[in-house]
Amino acid sequence: MHNEIEEKFHDECGVFGIYLNNLDDGFDAAKTTFFGIYALQHRGQESAGIAVADGHKIELHKGLGLTTDALNMKRLNALKGNIAIGHVRYSTTGFPALIDAQPMLFHYRQGMMSIACNGNLTNSVELNKKLSAEGAVFQTTTDAELMANVLSRNSQVSMEEALVKCLPEMKGAFAAVILTEDCLLGFRDPMGIRPLCIGELRGNYILASESASLNTLGAKFIRDVKPGEVIIVDKDGYRARQALESTQHAHCIFEYIYFARPDSTIDGTNVYMARKELGRQLAREHQIDADLVISVPDSGTPSAMGFAEQARLPFEEGLMKNRYVGRTFIIPSQALRELGVRLKLNPIKEIVQGKRIVMVDDSIVRGTTSKQIVQMLREAGATEVHMAVASPPTKYPCYYGIDTSRREELIANTMSENEIANFIGVDSLQYITKEGMLKCMNSDERNFCTACFSGQYPIEPESIE
Amino acid sequence: MHNEIEEKFHDECGVFGIYLNNLDDGFDAAKTTFFGIYALQHRGQESAGIAVADGHKIELHKGLGLTTDALNMKRLNALKGNIAIGHVRYSTTGFPALIDAQPMLFHYRQGMMSIACNGNLTNSVELNKKLSAEGAVFQTTTDAELMANVLSRNSQVSMEEALVKCLPEMKGAFAAVILTEDCLLGFRDPMGIRPLCIGELRGNYILASESASLNTLGAKFIRDVKPGEVIIVDKDGYRARQALESTQHAHCIFEYIYFARPDSTIDGTNVYMARKELGRQLAREHQIDADLVISVPDSGTPSAMGFAEQARLPFEEGLMKNRYVGRTFIIPSQALRELGVRLKLNPIKEIVQGKRIVMVDDSIVRGTTSKQIVQMLREAGATEVHMAVASPPTKYPCYYGIDTSRREELIANTMSENEIANFIGVDSLQYITKEGMLKCMNSDERNFCTACFSGQYPIEPESIE
Amino acid sequence: MHNEIEEKFHDECGVFGIYLNNLDDGFDAAKTTFFGIYALQHRGQESAGIAVADGHKIELHKGLGLTTDALNMKRLNALKGNIAIGHVRYSTTGFPALIDAQPMLFHYRQGMMSIACNGNLTNSVELNKKLSAEGAVFQTTTDAELMANVLSRNSQVSMEEALVKCLPEMKGAFAAVILTEDCLLGFRDPMGIRPLCIGELRGNYILASESASLNTLGAKFIRDVKPGEVIIVDKDGYRARQALESTQHAHCIFEYIYFARPDSTIDGTNVYMARKELGRQLAREHQIDADLVISVPDSGTPSAMGFAEQARLPFEEGLMKNRYVGRTFIIPSQALRELGVRLKLNPIKEIVQGKRIVMVDDSIVRGTTSKQIVQMLREAGATEVHMAVASPPTKYPCYYGIDTSRREELIANTMSENEIANFIGVDSLQYITKEGMLKCMNSDERNFCTACFSGQYPIEPESIE
Amino acid sequence: MHNEIEEKFHDECGVFGIYLNNLDDGFDAAKTTFFGIYALQHRGQESAGIAVADGHKIELHKGLGLTTDALNMKRLNALKGNIAIGHVRYSTTGFPALIDAQPMLFHYRQGMMSIACNGNLTNSVELNKKLSAEGAVFQTTTDAELMANVLSRNSQVSMEEALVKCLPEMKGAFAAVILTEDCLLGFRDPMGIRPLCIGELRGNYILASESASLNTLGAKFIRDVKPGEVIIVDKDGYRARQALESTQHAHCIFEYIYFARPDSTIDGTNVYMARKELGRQLAREHQIDADLVISVPDSGTPSAMGFAEQARLPFEEGLMKNRYVGRTFIIPSQALRELGVRLKLNPIKEIVQGKRIVMVDDSIVRGTTSKQIVQMLREAGATEVHMAVASPPTKYPCYYGIDTSRREELIANTMSENEIANFIGVDSLQYITKEGMLKCMNSDERNFCTACFSGQYPIEPESIE
């Protein structure tokens, strides 16, 4: 099911939650959540779901595919209630199954709860063993189901207390929302690896993976949820409880490089601005004698513009993207498979012909796409092609909710920079330095997770499968 | 989702399981199971599913609708393995959901298990409370999920031992099959309310709700599973263990009257033969001065033929059935809604005109269909219409897996026989007596559940909702 | 797309038309037509369509599959108007295509017309050549498109006059309905091969392939359309014009044997009564020493009951039919393909065991199904199986709208009766005689088309492909 | 079916054709055509179709929706042959119907032909009348069906001769491809209003609406088809015949402004380069005192970059586009409808805050989207918003195949520039002049159709509906 002509890392999920106090103006929780997760579609395209509570019960609607395919307006209209959570998912397993789609809905001794989670528990094997030994059964291998089991065992009290109590048991990188019959909760892992923020829309509170989701709804950004913090939203507004303190933060730096929308601001840093600064820093680190800067759209564009600005070179849209690519399909024969990247990107001959080009991209994973683009640029008449990459070489797998399952295919893991340049066929290849990259992050907290570049994992992974 | 022009009781499920030792001749477990549940389609039309084990893991494919719509041949072909269970389901809740479809698949401390169940636990509320108090979470309200939780808590040993140990904890009316990675198990409630039998196909053993499912596959009927018995099928063949003995049996008599296929033989009695004998007995109990016997097809036909034989009256197919009716659809306007029964049944004027008719049906639930049929017969020229019913008045709800949720609409619960005759518009109305009905059952065991006629429940229902 | 476990001849279409004068009571033309063709579903399962006129324009909705799958209630609700025609289709070509579905809608010099046709033009090649030479283009190979082209060339006058004028140009076997913006027309081939009748529902007139369609709507049968007659229905009621007289009629006798619903009466003869009489005649012609008569359901049942009555033998439902078979699916492996007939029919052992059986069927086409049934009956313990067929051997293809494309597979064309008996494996095989068959037709008109038995074609076929 | 949050003009179609001589390397005509029209997806999203010829017959597969939804790989694999044409369509009628989808397939006296057309005949009413009077019937209102009827009436000779003979009869703006059993033909209207070009891929010839379609396949651009020219491709290669000469050319200038892909080169002018030059010219014509230039993505981006370059202002991606918008859906309630543009575009506060902004767009149609964007920019902190439009005011409807059906809603038709600026809420509004626009076209031929700006129609429209 993977898009054959896409080879970037994949984020695994986006979460959203809303508690409506004001029901008088046409908003309803299910539909607002629909648009909330629609704005997070880039974080997961394989399933979408919405759970709605009305004070007494929770109802759920989920399906496979993009939000607009997975969810049915007639069914959404039937989901009545003032509190809702939503989820979009990218699955790492070949075949997406409805049962794994989130939110998941559980009956437990206090009633019902629904969970939507972005990220990965790193102690899931250990938790599973402990719970199974007590007789628990599992219908999926999702962390959401593990969390529900942990919480239900501590649910003599309110969900708020259960969550504050259980958070320390859950190791890893996660940002999740929980819905009970009458309450919305959200929480973030102790190092703040995965993002989550709070917003406000006409007096109603919202939780979302990214601030762009708030903007889409016309909501106001309040603040990021703090690492290790639990947010409770009910009829009295929202309140925060610090479930555990961490001495170290480790925001995922790849959110800025590639995952998040450019119009999101995460933990104090706007993504577009960060990408543009990465481009400027790249130009500071590497002088390239060239005529023109182009980007690999769309994710490479802000860095390319930053590079061009710093290098005082013109920037042009030298590679045009087919805006209809994105839906997965299988390319049938070998001859046609070669079309691969051409279906998605097409150089404009009038721009690149006779030019010495700097091509800026956000990252290189396998290198095969870059190789094809470089070949197309040369066929279109480029006299030199230099590649500048706005992140350091990606050498190490991620255990925190990002799909790097094709780890053995990480080109930087098996080749030197020279070998990569040869493989891709560029005249030169430049990566930003790790230090340069970190300098670009305009954040009060200088603590980022850079494990995919450095191999230094802030949390020990449970098992390396 | 209920068929507006169908008003009979509804069975809730059919189950099937097969263990293939001989894999050499084109059979495979998934596809054989497909045809096994296809033959049980009358027991449930709202979802279908198949789980397959290959000695190491279990894979599952299920969907909503009829077997041929719910299951996809391409997906079935991908289900490799030599052991499989299958399920067809009729849900009592308005909206059938995929998550409630069976078989359900569980991970537990010993690996994986899949369960498919026909029937109802009568102590489900009690079991749920007990398990929830220990921290269990539930994603559905199915008995299969409850059973999985009970079994997992006793799974230090083999599934066979766990099942033998846990069966006494499960009260109610049920027949179920369980699949582990390398074993097929089946069991039946202590009173034998719901049916289950064992068959053999070229040295491979099968479990099925009805013997007609065996016949369809060309398999040989071995015997019925005994009440309270656990059957284990593995590479060494099948063996039986009596998990608990019951002093009383209570086979559901409605299986013979309406639910089961006429070509099934359950607990020693062939269904067609039983229905025909019910018709004869009905004629013995009630002499009706008439010219012709007709049936309400299809379920009333054997009884009508028996009645005609005993009463020495001709039998004709006076009501023709549209063979394409059956798929649910919503009839749009009031004027068209009156078409209701006409869409399904049409009298043949040439047969009924000028005749005094006995119309035989298996049962009356709400009476509205009967009323419309009688009116059509009179319009077609019948001079008298007498109705003879091959079961006693159905006055009481069932708590053992049969959908009588429209209990308040049971006409025999609110009207006398005279009032019913008036409502339906017949010249006379005759029900078989309970004693007459029981006399027709050619069974070694004379113990049947007749609660829907008598209100005498063999097992106390937990709560009357 | 052919049902692998069905081997009977196939009719190709059913047509329906209604003109509503009274719009006051919830009826509307589109939905009434929906139920009208629903009752004709047995005449075609591959596509369904409805065209509706409101005095000014015609709108069309059609789709592939059964009526309930092909047509969408929301779309039907949007089809506003008081005149409508409908069609169900069985295609003889492997792959049913939407463009071939009927009704077809045409713009021509006078406005719009929609045509729905059952049957076959036998001079279609000639008509096509003539029209093509004048520059006509065709988007399908349907007779409806040919008819539209013929009519449009004569449309200087009203559709009524054009139709009366053009009918003599159209050779063959057909019954069709035409819709203009404000008029409903129907016509039947000059020999009356394909059926069409007129009905009345609360002052509104209806045209339909079979009277059972009228009954389903609660409409009154008025009369059959005469061979060569044109019926015009408009705001003034209906009127008839005899477009051409034929000295010979040739009603398709297979409508009585197999195609039509038993509850239809066609050209004066009720189908059920005809089938029953065929059974009686069969028993008169052939004494068989046996214990029991059974039928191959459903089409063989009335004849089997007639046979039993005449032969004074008991009749039983010895073969049970799975009521859910009918939807086409591909049976995957050889071992499972053998299940074929078992999926559809299952003998009841308790009935057939130890018995000498007469099995009555309406016809034999390829003989492979009969062979499998006989084998199943013997496995179930029948000591003798005699087969009695309520039609003569089918040796010749039909060119009048019936699918006998598997002509080379007509067993009676390549084997003697003895050889067929051997092939099928019966102890004896008896066909009704052609003379006996004709004697059973209770019709004022004694002229039937029996070409599939005799090879005597009432109209010369254009080309034998 | 219109996308509620899109208000630009819509092109109506893209066409493609290929004749494969070399079948040895994995290419096949159907699949190559699939990718050919995939690259033209922006020209039509409501249906897609492919017709394939193998020297003897033509087969067709078409469907509704985007190319990947409308066409089925299994069906495409079954389309064997070495010649193919394809089509993508945007319909101007509310409800897209399969019968109107192209290519259309016709049987005529010489065999089969399939036609795919982009554009509009301006004498379709006249042609329809003439053909109808001769008895022609039409199943659609497409120009392709009209063309087939015109050609079939002249088809005593080859399709090549028929086309050369008939082209003068067809008035209007069109570029079409025709497929016969063994030949591919293409032609373009006498003024060259709609685009069509010729390419070559490993010795095989291609016709396509835009050169970007050639690039996607790795094919070489040969030349544009000349106005009034007929191209014939067969086993001997391609040849051209000038069917009629026109003294005036009238290339649609809106192809450069908005319709075509930036990476296409049409009639000698690259679209990206033209757009960039339009931006520069706009800046030359209007000095605006501002801090920053942004674009309304994606179509406005090249002009915005050109403006920024000329005006020596920084360019930023101040409005971020949700890449998943594009699939049509109905926004349910009033409160949510206001989200409209927000779902698609989101300002980056960090970029626009405190800035005086020039926002460049390619055109303004109704102005409602611009109004919402301006409001969002002000909410995000922009201190001034000036709008610069890279085309003159669009005041007149198009009769040449472009959807301007919402003519009464053309804001420039009902308001002065000042009023528009007030309505949109900008501090100033600047349009490029018509003369300035024409100066930017780097074309040998200076003759463009600018009717939507000037009302001067190069061909008299037949009727203004």
Side-chain angles (χ1 to χ4, degrees), chain D residues 42 135 143 166 218 373 378 396 406 442 455 465:
Chain D
H42 60 292
D143 290 340
C166 295
I373 296 170
R378 294 203 191 274
Y396 302 93
R406 311 186 200 83
N442 174 34
E465 295 163 275

Side-chain angles (χ1 to χ4, degrees), chain A residues 5 25-28 31-32 34-35 38-43 45 66 68-69 73 77 202 211-213 215-218 261-265 269-270 272-273 276 280 298 301-302 305 309 315-318 320-336 338-339 342-351, chain D residues 5 25-28 31-32 34-35 38-43 45 66 68-69 73 77 202 211-213 215-218 261-265 269-270 272-273 276 280 298 301-302 305 309 315-318 320-336 338-339 342-351:
Chain A
I5 54 178
D25 51 4
F27 276 96
D28 87 7
K31 272 167 269 170
T32 308
F34 176 84
F35 293 110
Y38 184 76
L40 298 172
Q41 187 74 81
H42 61 291
R43 297 185 75 86
Q45 294 101 48
L66 292 173
T68 43
D69 296 331
M73 273 298 160
N77 281 334
R202 306 191 197 179
S211 66
S213 174
N215 298 342
T216 291
L217 297 169
R261 285 173 59 146
D263 47 340
S264 283
T265 293
T269 300
N270 170 260
Y272 180 91
M273 291 308 200
K276 195 154 183 203
R280 284 195 205 96
D298 295 314
T301 301
M305 287 170 64
E309 183 187 309
F315 166 77
E316 296 282 358
E317 294 192 289
M320 201 46 55
K321 190 171 178 177
N322 182 344
R323 293 297 170 198
Y324 296 91
V325 170
R327 307 227 109 212
T328 309
F329 57 88
I330 295 145
I331 302 177
S333 77
Q334 183 55 40
L336 292 169
E338 288 170 20
L339 294 180
R342 283 187 195 279
L343 290 177
K344 188 177 169 189
L345 292 174
N346 192 22
I348 301 184
K349 198 178 184 171
E350 284 79 355
I351 292 177
Chain D
I5 54 179
D25 51 3
F27 274 96
D28 89 7
K31 271 167 271 169
T32 310
F34 177 84
F35 293 111
Y38 184 76
L40 298 172
Q41 188 74 82
H42 60 292
R43 297 184 75 86
Q45 295 101 46
L66 292 173
T68 42
D69 295 332
M73 274 298 161
N77 282 333
R202 308 192 195 178
S211 65
S213 174
N215 299 344
T216 290
L217 297 169
R261 283 174 58 148
D263 46 343
S264 284
T265 293
T269 300
N270 171 262
Y272 179 91
M273 290 308 199
K276 192 151 186 205
R280 285 195 205 96
D298 295 315
T301 301
M305 287 169 64
E309 182 187 310
F315 166 78
E316 296 282 358
E317 294 193 289
M320 201 45 56
K321 191 171 176 175
N322 182 343
R323 294 296 169 197
Y324 295 92
V325 169
R327 308 228 109 213
T328 309
F329 58 87
I330 295 145
I331 303 176
S333 78
Q334 183 54 39
L336 293 170
E338 287 169 22
L339 293 181
R342 284 188 194 277
L343 288 178
K344 189 178 168 185
L345 292 174
N346 192 22
I348 301 184
K349 198 177 183 173
E350 285 78 357
I351 293 177

Side-chain angles (χ1 to χ4, degrees), chain C residues 265-337:
Chain C
T265 293
I266 300 177
D267 291 321
T269 299
N270 171 261
V271 174
Y272 179 91
M273 289 307 197
R275 287 187 191 167
K276 193 153 185 203
E277 187 58 25
L278 287 164
R280 284 194 205 96
Q281 177 65 22
L282 192 51
R284 277 179 217 117
E285 295 184 3
H286 306 286
Q287 268 81 43
I288 304 172
D289 194 18
D291 304 316
L292 186 67
V293 178
I294 68 171
S295 79
V296 182
D298 295 315
S299 51
T301 301
S303 297
M305 287 169 64
F307 189 101
E309 182 186 310
Q310 181 69 30
R312 297 180 182 272
L313 287 171
F315 166 78
E316 296 282 359
E317 295 192 289
L319 288 165
M320 201 46 54
K321 191 171 176 176
N322 181 344
R323 294 296 170 198
Y324 295 92
V325 169
R327 309 226 107 214
T328 310
F329 57 87
I330 294 145
I331 303 177
S333 77
Q334 183 55 39
L336 292 170
R337 191 164 301 130

Side-chain angles (χ1 to χ4, degrees), chain B residues 249-267:
Chain B
H249 290 175
H251 305 320
C252 169
I253 203 157
F254 231 86
E255 292 280 356
Y256 301 94
I257 291 169
Y258 176 74
F259 299 142
R261 284 174 57 148
D263 48 341
S264 284
T265 293
I266 300 177
D267 292 318

Side-chain angles (χ1 to χ4, degrees), chain B residues 26-45:
Chain B
F27 274 97
D28 87 7
K31 272 168 270 170
T32 309
T33 299
F34 176 84
F35 292 111
I37 59 174
Y38 184 76
L40 298 172
Q41 187 76 81
H42 60 290
R43 299 184 74 86
Q45 295 101 47

Side-chain angles (χ1 to χ4, degrees), chain B residues 5 25-28 31-32 34-35 38-43 45 66 68-69 73 77 202 211-213 215-218 261-265 269-270 272-273 276 280 298 301-302 305 309 315-318 320-336 338-339 342-351, chain C residues 5 25-28 31-32 34-35 38-43 45 66 68-69 73 77 202 211-213 215-218 261-265 269-270 272-273 276 280 298 301-302 305 309 315-318 320-336 338-339 342-351:
Chain B
I5 55 177
D25 52 2
F27 274 97
D28 87 7
K31 272 168 270 170
T32 309
F34 176 84
F35 292 111
Y38 184 76
L40 298 172
Q41 187 76 81
H42 60 290
R43 299 184 74 86
Q45 295 101 47
L66 292 173
T68 42
D69 295 332
M73 274 297 160
N77 282 332
R202 308 190 196 179
S211 65
S213 174
N215 299 342
T216 290
L217 297 170
R261 284 174 57 148
D263 48 341
S264 284
T265 293
T269 299
N270 171 261
Y272 179 91
M273 291 307 197
K276 195 153 183 204
R280 284 194 206 96
D298 295 316
T301 301
M305 286 170 64
E309 183 186 311
F315 167 78
E316 295 282 358
E317 295 192 289
M320 201 45 55
K321 191 170 175 177
N322 182 345
R323 294 296 169 197
Y324 296 91
V325 169
R327 309 226 107 214
T328 309
F329 58 88
I330 294 144
I331 303 177
S333 77
Q334 182 55 39
L336 293 169
E338 288 169 20
L339 293 180
R342 284 186 194 279
L343 289 177
K344 187 177 170 187
L345 293 174
N346 191 22
I348 301 184
K349 197 178 183 171
E350 285 78 357
I351 292 177
Chain C
I5 53 177
D25 50 5
F27 275 95
D28 89 5
K31 272 168 269 169
T32 309
F34 176 84
F35 292 110
Y38 184 76
L40 298 172
Q41 188 76 82
H42 60 292
R43 298 184 75 86
Q45 295 101 49
L66 292 174
T68 42
D69 295 332
M73 274 297 159
N77 282 333
R202 308 190 195 179
S211 66
S213 173
N215 299 342
T216 291
L217 297 170
R261 284 174 58 147
D263 47 341
S264 283
T265 293
T269 299
N270 171 261
Y272 179 91
M273 289 307 197
K276 193 153 185 203
R280 284 194 205 96
D298 295 315
T301 301
M305 287 169 64
E309 182 186 310
F315 166 78
E316 296 282 359
E317 295 192 289
M320 201 46 54
K321 191 171 176 176
N322 181 344
R323 294 296 170 198
Y324 295 92
V325 169
R327 309 226 107 214
T328 310
F329 57 87
I330 294 145
I331 303 177
S333 77
Q334 183 55 39
L336 292 170
E338 287 168 22
L339 294 180
R342 284 187 194 278
L343 289 177
K344 189 178 168 186
L345 292 174
N346 191 22
I348 301 184
K349 198 178 183 172
E350 284 78 358
I351 292 177

